[in-house]
């Protein structure tokens, strides 16, 4: 604990003087050696167990993950795949650098097995292990820079949250940005051996350049802290040197990205700027809003589902810190009130900015998950410190210590249990697509030259990695009236390497206008993916093919949650199908099937 915390009650000292003293003393004082409750390697193993389970069993939650990342990777490694308009050279708002990194990992994995879905799970597992490394480093830094117990709570929050379960192994730029942000946080939080601003800028820069450009904005509070510190210590030259160092490192990564994208698109493209330009300056009829909008409170509900009590604690970090400052209470960590204020600000900033945007998606919150976990851990530690040290003559102090801690820990156990039940609920409800498509790998099913067709279930296609060699996925008519993915051009002779990345495909547009050329005649389909739910009677364009026994035979069917028929409790968490649970609260199921054409 820094000695200036004990001086915080000196009312004769002005606010500016207290700020100056806090920052200056914190920067010069060597870090007190506080041993973590776990060493980084043990922490990595614990994180890895949960994250690898996510890689192996978590359903894919976002069709963008499949069509914008798994399919281009499949094209690079296996020669064919589905192509979205974002990868058309006309628009080029996706970077091939991010794809190439994962394609190399997948190519290495294919040395161990030629099965396509093995490559899929190998890439996912490597993502899970990468996330585990980043989490372990951040855990170690939090334990060392703040308090070992804050680090322990951070670990519990990250391990027990359904949000992290899915984000940890997701093949999405927002997940990659989350990894880099955790590394950036470690650099800015850990002042051992001097400031590591340049390293922090580099990690945030990589997260914004290779991953998602908007995620780089999370560095802002740390930059403000650096500027404030430099203005107090009058060390602007050294600060400028660190800034330039970090910017140059990030610039080299950007140069590499431009070079790789130029190779694939056959033109010079600065993809981060293209992404920002499309999402912010695209004008009417274009931009993210055409893909759907949500109300202001969308992320509050979503984060409450994925982090339950932890989210409420994260929201309380600011008020809790303010109360500590107002009543001259110590922070119960080794950092000052001011430093902690900088640590907890990114979460509020991100939540406010993205809640104000009409177009909302769960993955947009991934980059701020580490900050949410940190905020919640700091709040919980502060609550426990207050509960454990309350004066006997206070209202809280009159409650027996065991009762106080029992109440707090009951809330912790409830949050962990809710997180586990939510994770199990999502897994059991939506795992059917990964199971059903895996059935296509059966040796008794013809594959070469065959087509598996998808209608209303197009957005749950888990990628071409689940199709056997020689089989292609095709889209048939459904009620969806937007733009479906096309296919990468497979031209080879006379077109050079990866011609599909620079040849302009037909029928692409950035207005989400449907292209009939991307639809396939169902009469040529050998296999069909379809679903049937008790709550739905189908439609003209989406009949229940499962009931057409004369044309289709079932190869494999798995349970899939019927959302419309299931009570909200059953949609949120896993509920066992036992007699003592009333019928109206039980989960109701439909069928998700792989069908084979008869004859």
């Amino acid at each position: 604990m820094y000695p200036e915390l004990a001086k915080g009650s000196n009312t004769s000292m002005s606010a500016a003087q207290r700020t100056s003293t806090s920052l200056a003393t914190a920067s010069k004082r060597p870090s007190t050696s506080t041993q973590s409750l776990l060493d980084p390697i043990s922490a990595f193993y614990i994180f890895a167990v949960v994250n690898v389970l996510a890689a192996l069993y978590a359903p894919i939650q976002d069709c963008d993950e499949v069509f914008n990342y798994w399919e281009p990777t499949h094209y690079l490694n296996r020669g064919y795949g589905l192509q979205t308009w974002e990868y058309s050279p006309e628009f080029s708002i996706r970077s091939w650098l991010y794809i190439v990194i994962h394609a190399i990992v997948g190519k290495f994995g294919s040395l161990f097995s030629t099965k396509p879905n093995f490559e899929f799970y190998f890439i996912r597992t490597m993502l899970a292990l990468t996330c585990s490394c980043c989490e372990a480093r951040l855990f170690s830094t939090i334990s060392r820079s703040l308090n070992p117990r804050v680090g322990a709570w951070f670990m519990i929050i990250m391990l027990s949250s359904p949000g992290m379960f899915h984000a940890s192994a997701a093949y999405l730029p927002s997940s990659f940005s989350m990894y880099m942000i955790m590394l950036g946080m470690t650099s800015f939080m850990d002042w051992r051996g001097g400031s590591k601003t340049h390293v922090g800028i580099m990690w945030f820069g990589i997260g914004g350049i290779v991953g998602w450009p908007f995620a780089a904005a999370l560095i802002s509070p740390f930059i403000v802290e650096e500027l404030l510190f430099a203005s107090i210590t009058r060390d602007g030259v050294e600060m400028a040197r660190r800034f330039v160092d970090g910017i140059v490192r990030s610039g080299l990564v950007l140069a590499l990205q431009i070079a790789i994208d130029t190779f694939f698109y056959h033109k010079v493209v600065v993809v981060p700027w293209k992404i920002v330009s499309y999402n912010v300056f695209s004008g009417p009829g274009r931009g993210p809003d055409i893909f759907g909008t949500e109300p202001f409170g969308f992320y509050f509900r979503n984060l409450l589902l994925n982090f339950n009590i932890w989210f409420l604690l994260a929201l309380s970090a600011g008020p809790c810190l303010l109360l500590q400052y107002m009543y001259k209470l110590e922070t119960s960590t080794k950092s000052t009130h001011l430093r902690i204020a900088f640590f907890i600000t990114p979460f509020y900033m991100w939540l406010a900015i993205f809640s104000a945007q009409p177009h909302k998606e769960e993955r947009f919150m991934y980059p701020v998950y580490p900050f949410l976990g940190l905020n919640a851990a700091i709040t919980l530690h502060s609550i426990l410190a207050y509960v454990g040290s309350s004066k006997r003559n206070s209202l809280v102090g009159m409650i027996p210590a065991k009762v106080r801690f029992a109440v707090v820990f009951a809330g912790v156990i409830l949050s962990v249990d809710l997180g586990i039940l939510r994770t199990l609920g999502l897994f059991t409800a939506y795992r059917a697509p990964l199971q059903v498509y895996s059935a296509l790998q059966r040796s008794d099913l013809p594959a070469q030259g065959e087509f598996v067709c998808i209608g209303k279930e197009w957005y749950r296609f888990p990628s071409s990695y689940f199709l056997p060699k020689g089989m292609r996925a095709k889209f048939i008519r459904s009620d969806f009236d937007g733009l479906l993915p096309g296919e990468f051009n497979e031209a080879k002779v006379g077109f050079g390497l990866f011609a599909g990345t620079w040849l302009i495909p037909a029928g692409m547009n950035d207005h989400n206008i449907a292209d009939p050329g991307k639809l396939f005649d169902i009469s040529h389909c050998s296999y069909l993916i379809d679903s049937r739910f008790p709550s739905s009677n189908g439609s003209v364009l989406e009949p229940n093919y499962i009931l057409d026994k004369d044309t289709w035979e079932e190869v494999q069917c798995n349970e899939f949650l019927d959302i419309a028929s299931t009570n909200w409790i059953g949609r949120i968490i896993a509920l066992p199908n036992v007699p003592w649970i009333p019928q109206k609260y039980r989960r109701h199921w439909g069928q998700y099937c792989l069908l084979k054409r008869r004859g």
Side-chain angles (χ1 to χ4, degrees):
M1 186 179 301
Y2 297 123
E4 69 274 9
L5 289 175
K7 301 175 184 177
S9 60
N10 187 350
T11 56
S12 64
M13 188 179 289
S14 69
Q17 288 174 320
R18 289 198 302 269
T19 299
S20 175
T21 304
S22 297
L23 283 170
T25 308
S27 66
K28 292 177 182 177
R29 181 179 174 86
S31 248
T32 306
S33 177
T34 306
Q35 189 163 356
S36 299
L37 300 179
L38 277 176
D39 63 272
I41 297 299
S42 299
F44 166 76
Y45 289 141
I46 294 172
F47 281 121
V49 168
V50 175
N51 292 344
V52 170
L53 285 173
L56 298 177
Y57 298 108
I60 298 175
Q61 290 192 301
D62 196 320
C63 64
D64 269 5
E65 179 178 352
V66 171
F67 297 126
N68 277 326
Y69 306 104
W70 285 112
E71 286 299 302
T73 306
H74 191 275
Y75 169 72
L76 292 188
N77 282 358
R78 297 182 178 266
Y80 64 94
L82 299 174
Q83 181 184 24
T84 63
W85 67 270
E86 290 100 321
Y87 284 93
S88 170
E90 289 181 276
F91 309 105
S92 55
I93 65 169
R94 301 294 178 197
S95 175
W96 282 99
L97 173 59
Y98 181 64
I99 303 300
V100 166
I101 293 170
H102 295 78
I104 292 172
V105 173
K107 205 66 173 176
F108 178 75
S110 66
L111 298 176
F112 302 99
S113 175
T114 58
K115 292 183 178 180
N117 60 349
F118 178 86
E119 184 177 323
F120 172 91
Y121 284 112
F122 185 85
I123 293 174
R124 260 190 152 191
T125 301
M126 291 301 104
L127 290 171
L129 294 178
T130 301
C131 184
S132 302
C133 287
C134 299
E135 287 176 298
R137 280 202 62 186
L138 183 54
F139 157 79
S140 179
T141 298
I142 292 171
S143 299
R144 187 171 56 247
S145 302
L146 296 179
N147 188 293
R149 291 183 180 84
V150 176
W153 290 124
F154 174 80
M155 172 179 276
I156 291 171
I157 291 165
M158 300 296 270
L159 290 172
S160 64
S161 301
M164 273 305 301
F165 185 79
H166 289 279
S168 62
Y171 184 4
L172 287 166
S174 50
S175 281
F176 179 83
S177 295
M178 180 184 71
Y179 306 160
M180 297 300 103
I181 284 168
M182 284 191 275
L183 297 178
M185 290 170 69
T186 63
S187 300
F188 280 109
M189 293 177 68
D190 187 2
W191 281 2
R192 291 187 313 164
S195 175
K196 303 176 183 67
T197 305
H198 56 298
V199 181
I201 291 174
M202 179 192 70
W203 288 127
F204 274 93
I206 293 174
I209 293 167
V210 182
W212 195 30
F214 300 103
L218 286 166
I219 198 176
S220 302
F222 295 111
I223 296 299
V224 172
E225 181 189 27
E226 288 290 322
L227 293 171
L228 181 59
F229 176 74
S231 69
I232 293 170
T233 61
R234 298 179 182 177
D235 196 15
V237 174
E238 180 60 24
M239 180 205 69
R241 187 197 65 78
R242 293 193 297 267
F243 276 27
V244 171
D245 188 355
I247 292 170
V248 168
R249 296 182 189 207
S250 301
L252 292 174
V253 176
L254 178 61
L256 174 63
Q257 182 187 63
I258 292 173
I260 288 178
D261 288 334
T262 299
F263 169 78
F264 282 104
Y265 284 122
H266 281 208
K267 65 178 184 179
V268 178
V269 179
V270 183
V271 170
W273 165 246
K274 298 272 284 188
I275 293 173
V276 173
S277 176
Y278 176 78
N279 284 278
V280 179
F281 308 112
S282 52
R286 300 171 65 240
D289 294 356
I290 65 175
F291 298 101
T293 60
E294 299 290 344
F296 180 86
F298 173 84
Y299 288 127
F300 288 83
R301 295 195 303 272
N302 180 267
L303 292 173
L304 190 59
L305 284 173
N306 285 324
F307 288 88
N308 54 77
I309 296 174
W310 306 130
F311 171 58
L312 299 178
L313 288 173
L315 287 175
S316 304
C320 182
L321 183 65
L322 181 61
L323 288 173
Q324 287 178 330
Y325 182 77
M326 289 173 59
Y327 290 97
K328 312 302 181 187
L329 301 174
E330 295 182 354
T331 62
S332 68
T333 71
K334 293 163 57 183
S335 289
T336 64
H337 293 98
L338 185 60
R339 282 218 82 200
I340 293 178
F342 285 119
F343 295 164
I344 67 175
T345 296
F347 170 70
Y348 295 107
M349 181 186 75
W350 192 262
L351 183 60
I353 292 172
F354 278 85
S355 293
Q357 307 306 310
H359 180 65
K360 299 177 178 68
E361 298 192 39
E362 181 177 322
R363 70 178 187 272
F364 293 171
M365 286 292 111
Y366 287 2
V368 86
Y369 282 178
F371 287 105
L372 188 156
L374 176 61
N375 282 28
I378 290 173
T379 303
L380 182 56
H381 178 65
S382 298
I383 291 172
L384 287 170
Y386 174 71
V387 168
S389 62
S390 294
K391 297 178 181 179
R392 290 183 177 273
N393 59 354
S394 68
L395 181 62
V396 175
M398 289 187 286
I399 302 173
K402 291 183 179 179
V403 175
R404 285 180 262 156
F405 281 102
V407 171
V408 175
F409 280 102
V412 171
I413 293 170
L414 174 62
S415 184
V416 171
D417 288 344
L418 286 174
I420 293 172
L421 288 173
R422 169 75 174 162
T423 299
L424 289 174
L426 292 171
F427 164 67
T428 54
Y430 306 115
R431 61 181 170 174
L434 294 177
Q435 296 173 315
V436 168
Y437 277 94
S438 295
L440 288 167
Q441 306 289 337
R442 282 170 33 181
S443 58
D444 61 317
L445 296 178
Q448 190 63 41
E450 305 291 348
F451 300 108
V452 57
C453 293
I454 318 161
K456 63 176 177 283
E457 292 297 324
W458 67 272
Y459 59 96
R460 293 192 179 112
F461 176 56
S463 83
S464 297
Y465 279 106
F466 285 81
L467 307 183
K469 186 177 180 180
M471 182 179 290
R472 304 297 174 90
K474 298 288 184 180
F475 299 110
I476 59 173
R477 293 181 67 193
S478 70
D479 289 331
F480 177 68
D481 60 355
L483 181 65
L484 289 165
E487 298 177 8
F488 282 104
N489 195 309
E490 298 172 29
K492 290 182 174 63
V493 179
F495 289 91
L497 291 172
F498 308 118
T501 64
W502 62 269
L503 290 173
I504 297 177
M508 295 294 190
N509 65 82
D510 60 351
H511 295 270
N512 199 28
I513 299 173
D515 172 31
K518 293 180 173 53
L519 297 176
F520 193 68
D521 186 347
I522 192 172
S523 64
H524 299 300
C525 300
S526 308
Y527 301 94
L528 179 67
I529 297 293
D530 194 33
S531 60
R532 179 173 179 268
F533 300 99
S535 61
S536 174
N537 295 320
S539 66
V540 175
L541 296 180
E542 296 179 352
N544 287 317
Y545 295 104
I546 295 173
L547 300 179
D548 185 5
K549 304 295 184 182
D550 294 333
T551 307
W552 304 99
E553 61 176 305
E554 294 180 7
V555 175
Q556 179 170 320
C557 288
N558 288 80
E559 285 186 334
F560 196 94
L561 187 69
D562 185 358
I563 297 175
S565 298
T566 301
N567 184 273
W568 66 271
I569 296 177
R571 296 197 301 267
I572 292 175
I573 61 175
L575 290 176
N577 188 19
V578 292
W580 52 268
I581 294 181
Q583 184 67 29
K584 67 176 182 178
Y585 294 118
R586 295 184 190 178
R587 306 176 105 189
H588 300 279
W589 302 91
Q591 287 184 304
Y592 197 94
C593 297
L594 168 64
L595 308 176
K596 183 177 182 293
R597 184 177 292 277
R598 292 187 181 274

